[in-house]
Coordinates of all heavy atoms in Angstrom, one line a residue:
E1 N -5.5 -7.6 14.3 CA -4.7 -8.7 13.8 C -3.5 -8.1 13.1 O -3.7 -7.2 12.2 CB -5.4 -9.6 12.9 CG -4.6 -10.7 12.4 CD -5.4 -11.7 11.5 OE1 -6.6 -11.8 11.8 OE2 -4.9 -12.2 10.6
V2 N -2.3 -8.5 13.4 CA -1.1 -8.0 12.7 C -0.8 -9.0 11.5 O -0.7 -10.2 11.7 CB 0.1 -8.0 13.7 CG1 1.4 -7.6 12.9 CG2 -0.2 -7.1 14.8
I3 N -0.6 -8.4 10.4 CA -0.2 -9.2 9.2 C 1.2 -8.9 8.9 O 1.6 -7.7 8.6 CB -1.1 -8.8 8.0 CG1 -2.6 -9.1 8.3 CG2 -0.7 -9.5 6.7 CD1 -3.5 -8.6 7.3
L4 N 2.0 -9.9 8.9 CA 3.5 -9.8 8.7 C 3.7 -10.0 7.2 O 3.3 -10.9 6.6 CB 4.2 -10.8 9.5 CG 4.1 -10.7 11.0 CD1 4.8 -11.8 11.7 CD2 4.5 -9.4 11.5
L5 N 4.4 -9.0 6.6 CA 4.8 -9.0 5.2 C 6.1 -9.7 5.0 O 6.4 -10.1 3.8 CB 4.8 -7.6 4.6 CG 3.5 -6.8 4.8 CD1 3.7 -5.4 4.2 CD2 2.4 -7.5 4.0
F6 N 7.0 -9.7 6.0 CA 8.3 -10.3 5.8 C 8.5 -11.4 6.9 O 8.0 -11.3 8.0 CB 9.4 -9.2 6.0 CG 9.4 -8.2 4.9 CD1 8.7 -7.0 5.1 CD2 10.0 -8.4 3.7 CE1 8.6 -6.0 4.1 CE2 10.0 -7.4 2.7 CZ 9.3 -6.3 2.9
E7 N 9.4 -12.3 6.6 CA 9.9 -13.2 7.6 C 11.4 -12.9 7.8 O 12.0 -12.3 6.9 CB 9.7 -14.7 7.2 CG 10.4 -15.1 5.9 CD 10.1 -16.5 5.5 OE1 10.0 -17.4 6.4 OE2 10.0 -16.8 4.3
H8 N 11.9 -13.1 8.9 CA 13.3 -12.8 9.3 C 14.0 -14.0 9.7 O 13.5 -15.0 10.2 CB 13.3 -11.7 10.4 CG 12.7 -10.4 10.0 ND1 11.4 -10.2 10.0 CD2 13.3 -9.3 9.5 CE1 11.2 -8.9 9.6 NE2 12.3 -8.4 9.3
K9 N 15.3 -13.9 9.5 CA 16.2 -15.0 9.9 C 17.5 -14.4 10.5 O 18.0 -13.4 10.0 CB 16.6 -15.9 8.6 CG 17.4 -17.1 8.9 CD 17.6 -17.9 7.7 CE 18.2 -19.2 8.0 NZ 18.3 -20.1 6.8
F10 N 17.9 -15.0 11.6 CA 19.1 -14.5 12.3 C 20.1 -15.6 12.3 O 19.9 -16.7 12.8 CB 18.7 -14.2 13.8 CG 17.6 -13.2 13.8 CD1 16.2 -13.6 13.8 CD2 17.8 -11.8 13.9 CE1 15.2 -12.6 13.8 CE2 16.8 -10.9 13.9 CZ 15.5 -11.3 13.9
V11 N 21.3 -15.3 11.8 CA 22.4 -16.3 11.7 C 23.6 -15.8 12.5 O 24.1 -14.7 12.3 CB 22.9 -16.4 10.2 CG1 24.0 -17.4 10.1 CG2 21.7 -16.9 9.3
N12 N 23.9 -16.6 13.5 CA 25.0 -16.3 14.4 C 26.4 -16.7 13.9 O 26.5 -17.9 13.5 CB 24.7 -17.0 15.8 CG 25.6 -16.5 16.9 OD1 26.8 -16.6 16.8 ND2 24.9 -16.0 17.9
I13 N 27.3 -15.8 13.8 CA 28.7 -16.1 13.4 C 29.6 -15.9 14.6 O 29.8 -14.8 15.1 CB 29.1 -15.2 12.2 CG1 28.1 -15.2 11.0 CG2 30.6 -15.5 11.8 CD1 28.2 -16.5 10.3
K14 N 30.2 -17.0 15.1 CA 31.0 -16.9 16.2 C 32.4 -16.3 15.8 O 32.9 -16.5 14.7 CB 31.2 -18.3 16.9 CG 29.9 -18.8 17.5 CD 30.2 -20.0 18.3 CE 28.9 -20.7 18.8 NZ 28.1 -19.9 19.6
L15 N 33.0 -15.6 16.8 CA 34.3 -15.0 16.6 C 35.3 -15.8 17.4 O 35.0 -16.2 18.5 CB 34.4 -13.5 17.0 CG 33.4 -12.6 16.2 CD1 33.4 -11.2 16.8 CD2 33.6 -12.6 14.8
S16 N 36.5 -16.0 16.9 CA 37.5 -16.7 17.7 C 37.9 -15.9 18.9 O 37.9 -14.7 18.9 CB 38.8 -17.0 16.8 OG 39.5 -15.8 16.6
S17 N 38.2 -16.6 20.0 CA 38.5 -15.9 21.2 C 39.9 -15.3 21.2 O 40.2 -14.3 21.9 CB 38.4 -16.8 22.4 OG 39.3 -17.9 22.2
F18 N 40.8 -15.7 20.3 CA 42.2 -15.2 20.2 C 42.3 -13.9 19.5 O 42.7 -12.9 20.0 CB 43.1 -16.3 19.6 CG 44.5 -15.9 19.4 CD1 45.3 -15.6 20.5 CD2 45.0 -15.6 18.2 CE1 46.6 -15.2 20.4 CE2 46.3 -15.2 18.0 CZ 47.1 -15.0 19.1
N19 N 41.9 -13.9 18.2 CA 42.1 -12.7 17.4 C 40.7 -12.1 16.9 O 40.8 -11.2 16.1 CB 42.9 -13.1 16.1 CG 42.4 -14.2 15.3 OD1 41.2 -14.6 15.4 ND2 43.2 -14.7 14.4
R20 N 39.6 -12.6 17.3 CA 38.3 -12.1 17.0 C 37.9 -12.2 15.6 O 37.1 -11.4 15.1 CB 38.1 -10.7 17.5 CG 38.3 -10.5 19.0 CD 37.1 -11.2 19.7 NE 37.2 -11.1 21.1 CZ 36.8 -12.0 22.0 NH1 36.3 -13.1 21.5 NH2 36.9 -11.8 23.3
N21 N 38.6 -13.0 14.8 CA 38.2 -13.3 13.4 C 37.0 -14.2 13.4 O 36.8 -15.1 14.2 CB 39.3 -13.9 12.6 CG 40.4 -12.9 12.3 OD1 40.2 -11.7 12.2 ND2 41.7 -13.4 12.2
P22 N 36.1 -14.0 12.4 CA 35.0 -14.9 12.2 C 35.4 -16.4 12.0 O 36.4 -16.6 11.3 CB 34.2 -14.4 11.0 CG 34.7 -13.0 10.8 CD 36.1 -13.0 11.3
K23 N 34.7 -17.3 12.7 CA 35.1 -18.7 12.5 C 34.6 -19.3 11.2 O 35.0 -20.5 10.9 CB 34.5 -19.5 13.7 CG 35.2 -19.2 15.0 CD 34.8 -20.1 16.1 CE 35.6 -19.9 17.4 NZ 35.2 -20.8 18.5
E24 N 33.8 -18.6 10.5 CA 33.4 -19.1 9.2 C 33.3 -17.8 8.3 O 33.2 -16.7 8.7 CB 32.0 -19.8 9.2 CG 30.9 -19.0 9.7 CD 29.6 -19.8 9.8 OE1 29.1 -20.3 8.8 OE2 29.1 -20.0 11.0
D25 N 33.3 -18.1 7.0 CA 33.3 -17.0 6.0 C 31.9 -16.4 5.9 O 31.0 -17.0 5.3 CB 33.8 -17.5 4.6 CG 33.9 -16.4 3.6 OD1 33.7 -15.2 3.9 OD2 34.1 -16.7 2.4
Y26 N 31.7 -15.3 6.4 CA 30.4 -14.7 6.4 C 29.9 -14.2 5.0 O 28.8 -14.1 4.8 CB 30.2 -13.5 7.5 CG 31.1 -12.3 7.2 CD1 30.7 -11.3 6.5 CD2 32.4 -12.3 7.8 CE1 31.5 -10.2 6.2 CE2 33.2 -11.2 7.5 CZ 32.8 -10.2 6.8 OH 33.6 -9.1 6.6
H27 N 30.9 -13.9 4.2 CA 30.5 -13.6 2.8 C 29.8 -14.8 2.1 O 28.8 -14.6 1.5 CB 31.8 -13.3 1.9 CG 32.5 -12.1 2.4 ND1 33.8 -12.1 2.9 CD2 32.1 -10.8 2.5 CE1 34.2 -10.9 3.2 NE2 33.2 -10.0 3.0
T28 N 30.3 -16.0 2.3 CA 29.7 -17.2 1.8 C 28.3 -17.4 2.4 O 27.4 -17.7 1.7 CB 30.6 -18.4 2.1 OG1 31.8 -18.2 1.5 CG2 29.9 -19.7 1.5
V29 N 28.2 -17.1 3.7 CA 26.8 -17.2 4.3 C 25.8 -16.3 3.7 O 24.7 -16.6 3.4 CB 27.0 -17.0 5.8 CG1 25.6 -17.0 6.5 CG2 27.8 -18.0 6.5
I30 N 26.3 -15.1 3.4 CA 25.4 -14.0 2.8 C 25.0 -14.5 1.4 O 23.9 -14.4 1.0 CB 26.1 -12.7 2.8 CG1 26.2 -12.1 4.2 CG2 25.3 -11.7 1.9 CD1 27.1 -10.9 4.4
Y31 N 26.0 -14.9 0.6 CA 25.7 -15.3 -0.8 C 24.8 -16.5 -0.8 O 23.9 -16.5 -1.7 CB 27.0 -15.7 -1.5 CG 28.0 -14.5 -1.7 CD1 29.4 -14.7 -1.6 CD2 27.5 -13.2 -1.9 CE1 30.2 -13.7 -1.8 CE2 28.4 -12.2 -2.1 CZ 29.8 -12.4 -2.0 OH 30.7 -11.4 -2.2
E32 N 25.0 -17.5 0.0 CA 24.1 -18.6 0.1 C 22.7 -18.2 0.4 O 21.7 -18.8 -0.1 CB 24.6 -19.7 1.0 CG 25.9 -20.4 0.6 CD 25.8 -21.1 -0.8 OE1 24.7 -21.8 -1.0 OE2 26.6 -20.9 -1.7
H33 N 22.5 -17.3 1.4 CA 21.1 -16.9 1.7 C 20.5 -16.1 0.6 O 19.3 -16.2 0.4 CB 21.2 -16.1 3.1 CG 21.3 -17.0 4.3 ND1 22.4 -17.6 4.7 CD2 20.3 -17.4 5.1 CE1 22.2 -18.4 5.7 NE2 20.9 -18.3 6.0
E34 N 21.3 -15.3 -0.1 CA 20.7 -14.5 -1.2 C 20.2 -15.4 -2.3 O 19.1 -15.1 -2.9 CB 21.7 -13.6 -1.8 CG 22.0 -12.4 -0.9 CD 23.0 -11.4 -1.5 OE1 23.7 -11.8 -2.5 OE2 23.1 -10.3 -1.0
K35 N 20.8 -16.6 -2.5 CA 20.3 -17.6 -3.5 C 18.9 -18.1 -3.1 O 18.2 -18.4 -4.0 CB 21.3 -18.7 -3.6 CG 22.6 -18.4 -4.2 CD 23.5 -19.6 -4.2 CE 24.8 -19.3 -4.8 NZ 25.7 -20.5 -4.7
D36 N 18.6 -18.1 -1.8 CA 17.3 -18.5 -1.4 C 16.3 -17.4 -1.2 O 15.3 -17.6 -0.5 CB 17.4 -19.3 -0.1 CG 18.2 -20.6 -0.2 OD1 18.1 -21.2 -1.3 OD2 18.8 -21.1 0.7
G37 N 16.6 -16.2 -1.7 CA 15.7 -15.1 -1.6 C 15.8 -14.2 -0.4 O 15.0 -13.3 -0.2
W38 N 16.8 -14.4 0.5 CA 17.0 -13.6 1.7 C 17.8 -12.4 1.3 O 18.8 -12.4 0.6 CB 17.7 -14.4 2.8 CG 16.9 -15.6 3.3 CD1 17.0 -16.9 3.0 CD2 15.9 -15.5 4.3 NE1 16.1 -17.6 3.7 CE2 15.4 -16.8 4.5 CE3 15.3 -14.4 5.0 CZ2 14.4 -17.1 5.4 CZ3 14.3 -14.7 5.9 CH2 13.9 -16.0 6.1
E39 N 17.4 -11.3 1.9 CA 18.1 -10.0 1.8 C 18.8 -9.7 3.1 O 18.2 -9.7 4.2 CB 17.2 -8.9 1.4 CG 17.8 -7.5 1.3 CD 16.8 -6.4 1.1 OE1 15.6 -6.7 0.8 OE2 17.1 -5.3 1.1
L40 N 20.1 -9.3 3.1 CA 20.8 -8.9 4.3 C 20.3 -7.6 4.7 O 20.3 -6.6 3.9 CB 22.3 -8.9 4.0 CG 23.2 -8.4 5.2 CD1 23.1 -9.4 6.4 CD2 24.6 -8.2 4.8
V41 N 19.9 -7.5 6.0 CA 19.4 -6.2 6.5 C 20.4 -5.5 7.3 O 20.7 -4.3 7.2 CB 18.1 -6.4 7.4 CG1 17.6 -5.2 8.0 CG2 17.0 -7.1 6.5
Q42 N 21.1 -6.3 8.2 CA 22.1 -5.7 9.1 C 23.0 -6.8 9.7 O 22.7 -7.9 9.7 CB 21.3 -5.1 10.3 CG 22.1 -4.4 11.3 CD 21.3 -3.8 12.4 OE1 20.1 -4.0 12.5 NE2 21.9 -3.0 13.3
I43 N 24.2 -6.3 10.0 CA 25.1 -7.1 10.8 C 25.2 -6.5 12.1 O 25.5 -5.3 12.3 CB 26.5 -7.2 10.1 CG1 26.4 -7.8 8.7 CG2 27.5 -8.0 11.0 CD1 27.7 -7.8 7.9
F44 N 24.9 -7.3 13.2 CA 24.8 -6.8 14.5 C 25.9 -7.5 15.4 O 26.0 -8.7 15.4 CB 23.4 -7.1 15.0 CG 23.2 -6.7 16.4 CD1 23.0 -5.3 16.8 CD2 23.1 -7.6 17.4 CE1 22.8 -5.0 18.1 CE2 22.9 -7.3 18.8 CZ 22.7 -5.9 19.1
A45 N 26.6 -6.7 16.2 CA 27.6 -7.3 17.1 C 27.4 -6.6 18.5 O 27.5 -5.4 18.6 CB 29.0 -7.0 16.6
L46 N 27.1 -7.4 19.4 CA 26.8 -7.0 20.8 C 28.0 -7.3 21.7 O 28.4 -8.5 21.8 CB 25.6 -7.6 21.4 CG 25.2 -7.2 22.8 CD1 24.8 -5.7 22.8 CD2 24.0 -8.0 23.2
G47 N 28.6 -6.3 22.3 CA 29.8 -6.5 23.1 C 29.3 -7.1 24.4 O 28.2 -6.9 24.9
N48 N 30.2 -8.0 25.0 CA 29.8 -8.5 26.3 C 29.9 -7.5 27.4 O 30.6 -6.5 27.3 CB 30.6 -9.8 26.6 CG 32.1 -9.6 26.9 OD1 32.5 -8.5 27.3 ND2 32.9 -10.6 26.7
K49 N 29.3 -7.8 28.5 CA 29.2 -6.8 29.6 C 30.6 -6.5 30.3 O 30.8 -5.4 30.7 CB 28.2 -7.2 30.7 CG 26.8 -7.2 30.2 CD 25.8 -7.7 31.2 CE 24.4 -7.8 30.6 NZ 23.5 -8.3 31.6
Q50 N 31.4 -7.5 30.3 CA 32.7 -7.4 31.1 C 33.7 -6.5 30.3 O 34.3 -5.7 30.9 CB 33.3 -8.8 31.4 CG 34.4 -8.7 32.3 CD 34.9 -10.1 32.7 OE1 34.5 -11.1 32.1 NE2 35.7 -10.2 33.7
Y51 N 33.9 -6.8 29.1 CA 35.0 -6.1 28.3 C 34.5 -5.3 27.1 O 35.2 -4.5 26.6 CB 36.0 -7.1 27.8 CG 36.7 -7.9 28.9 CD1 36.4 -9.3 29.0 CD2 37.6 -7.3 29.7 CE1 37.0 -10.0 30.0 CE2 38.2 -8.1 30.8 CZ 37.9 -9.4 30.9 OH 38.4 -10.1 31.9
G52 N 33.3 -5.5 26.7 CA 32.7 -4.7 25.6 C 33.1 -5.2 24.3 O 32.9 -4.6 23.2
I53 N 33.8 -6.4 24.2 CA 34.2 -7.0 23.0 C 33.3 -8.1 22.6 O 33.0 -9.0 23.4 CB 35.7 -7.6 23.2 CG1 36.6 -6.5 23.6 CG2 36.1 -8.3 21.9 CD1 38.0 -7.0 24.0
P54 N 32.8 -8.1 21.4 CA 31.8 -9.1 21.0 C 32.5 -10.5 20.8 O 33.6 -10.6 20.5 CB 31.3 -8.6 19.6 CG 32.3 -7.7 19.1 CD 33.0 -7.1 20.3
S55 N 31.7 -11.5 21.1 CA 32.2 -12.9 20.9 C 31.5 -13.5 19.6 O 31.8 -14.6 19.2 CB 31.9 -13.8 22.1 OG 30.5 -13.8 22.4
F56 N 30.6 -12.8 19.1 CA 29.9 -13.2 17.9 C 29.3 -12.0 17.2 O 29.2 -10.9 17.8 CB 28.8 -14.2 18.2 CG 27.6 -13.7 18.9 CD1 26.5 -13.2 18.3 CD2 27.6 -13.6 20.3 CE1 25.4 -12.6 19.0 CE2 26.6 -13.1 21.0 CZ 25.5 -12.6 20.4
F57 N 28.9 -12.2 16.0 CA 28.0 -11.2 15.4 C 26.9 -11.9 14.7 O 26.9 -13.1 14.4 CB 28.7 -10.2 14.4 CG 29.4 -10.8 13.3 CD1 28.8 -11.0 12.1 CD2 30.8 -11.0 13.3 CE1 29.5 -11.5 11.0 CE2 31.5 -11.5 12.2 CZ 30.8 -11.7 11.1
E58 N 25.8 -11.2 14.4 CA 24.6 -11.8 13.9 C 24.3 -11.1 12.6 O 24.3 -9.9 12.5 CB 23.5 -11.6 14.9 CG 22.3 -12.5 14.8 CD 21.5 -12.5 16.0 OE1 21.0 -11.4 16.4 OE2 21.3 -13.6 16.6
L59 N 24.0 -12.0 11.6 CA 23.5 -11.5 10.3 C 22.0 -11.6 10.3 O 21.4 -12.6 10.7 CB 24.0 -12.4 9.2 CG 25.5 -12.6 9.1 CD1 25.8 -13.6 8.0 CD2 26.3 -11.3 8.8
I60 N 21.4 -10.5 10.0 CA 19.9 -10.4 10.0 C 19.4 -10.3 8.6 O 19.8 -9.4 7.8 CB 19.4 -9.2 10.9 CG1 20.0 -9.3 12.3 CG2 17.9 -9.1 10.9 CD1 19.8 -8.0 13.1
F61 N 18.6 -11.2 8.2 CA 18.1 -11.3 6.8 C 16.5 -11.2 6.9 O 15.9 -11.4 7.9 CB 18.4 -12.7 6.2 CG 19.8 -13.0 6.0 CD1 20.5 -13.7 7.0 CD2 20.4 -12.6 4.8 CE1 21.9 -13.9 6.8 CE2 21.8 -12.9 4.6 CZ 22.5 -13.6 5.6
K62 N 16.0 -10.7 5.7 CA 14.5 -10.7 5.6 C 14.2 -11.1 4.2 O 15.0 -11.0 3.2 CB 13.9 -9.4 5.9 CG 14.2 -8.3 4.9 CD 13.4 -7.0 5.2 CE 13.6 -6.0 4.1 NZ 12.9 -4.8 4.3
R63 N 13.0 -11.6 4.0 CA 12.4 -11.9 2.7 C 10.9 -11.8 2.8 O 10.3 -12.0 3.9 CB 12.8 -13.2 2.1 CG 12.3 -14.4 2.8 CD 12.8 -15.7 2.1 NE 12.4 -16.9 2.9 CZ 12.8 -18.1 2.6 NH1 13.6 -18.3 1.6 NH2 12.4 -19.1 3.3
K64 N 10.2 -11.5 1.7 CA 8.8 -11.4 1.7 C 8.2 -12.8 2.0 O 8.6 -13.8 1.5 CB 8.3 -10.9 0.3 CG 8.5 -9.5 0.2 CD 7.7 -8.9 -1.0 CE 7.9 -7.4 -1.1 NZ 7.0 -6.9 -2.1
K65 N 7.1 -12.8 2.8 CA 6.4 -14.0 3.1 C 5.5 -14.4 1.9 O 5.0 -13.5 1.1 CB 5.4 -13.8 4.3 CG 6.2 -13.7 5.6 CD 5.2 -13.7 6.7 CE 5.2 -15.1 7.2 NZ 4.6 -15.3 8.5
D66 N 5.3 -15.6 1.7 CA 4.5 -16.1 0.6 C 3.0 -16.0 1.0 O 2.6 -16.1 2.0 CB 4.9 -17.6 0.2 CG 6.2 -17.6 -0.4 OD1 6.7 -16.6 -1.0 OD2 6.9 -18.7 -0.3

């Protein structure tokens, strides 16, 4: 049996197709999650297969399970 010590949350932040800027303020997203006990682990951006340019990035959070 696997006992998980942490829970994880993945938050998708879309990027605009024109200038690739985030469509929402990711700093605010991080601060709001920290208030709820989430710790930012990584920001992940996967390029698409055709051009290699990401259309979104993902914030990966973790916190200890109760």
Side-chain angles (χ1 to χ4, degrees):
E1 179 178 329
V2 176
I3 299 173
L4 300 176
L5 301 176
F6 294 95
E7 58 182 326
H8 293 83
K9 186 173 188 178
F10 303 87
V11 178
N12 191 300
I13 305 289
K14 294 189 185 304
L15 303 175
S16 71
S17 57
F18 176 69
N19 58 12
R20 299 293 180 215
N21 287 332
K23 290 187 174 183
E24 60 185 297
D25 182 10
Y26 63 91
H27 296 118
T28 301
V29 174
I30 292 169
Y31 296 143
E32 290 301 316
H33 280 79
E34 285 182 347
K35 289 178 186 177
D36 292 330
W38 293 99
E39 176 186 352
L40 178 67
V41 175
Q42 182 177 8
I43 299 175
F44 177 76
L46 179 63
N48 69 21
K49 292 179 184 178
Q50 189 173 12
Y51 300 110
I53 300 170
S55 59
F56 68 92
F57 60 86
E58 201 164 55
L59 305 176
I60 303 170
F61 295 93
K62 74 174 184 179
R63 69 178 174 187
K64 284 193 175 187
K65 287 188 100 165
D66 292 335

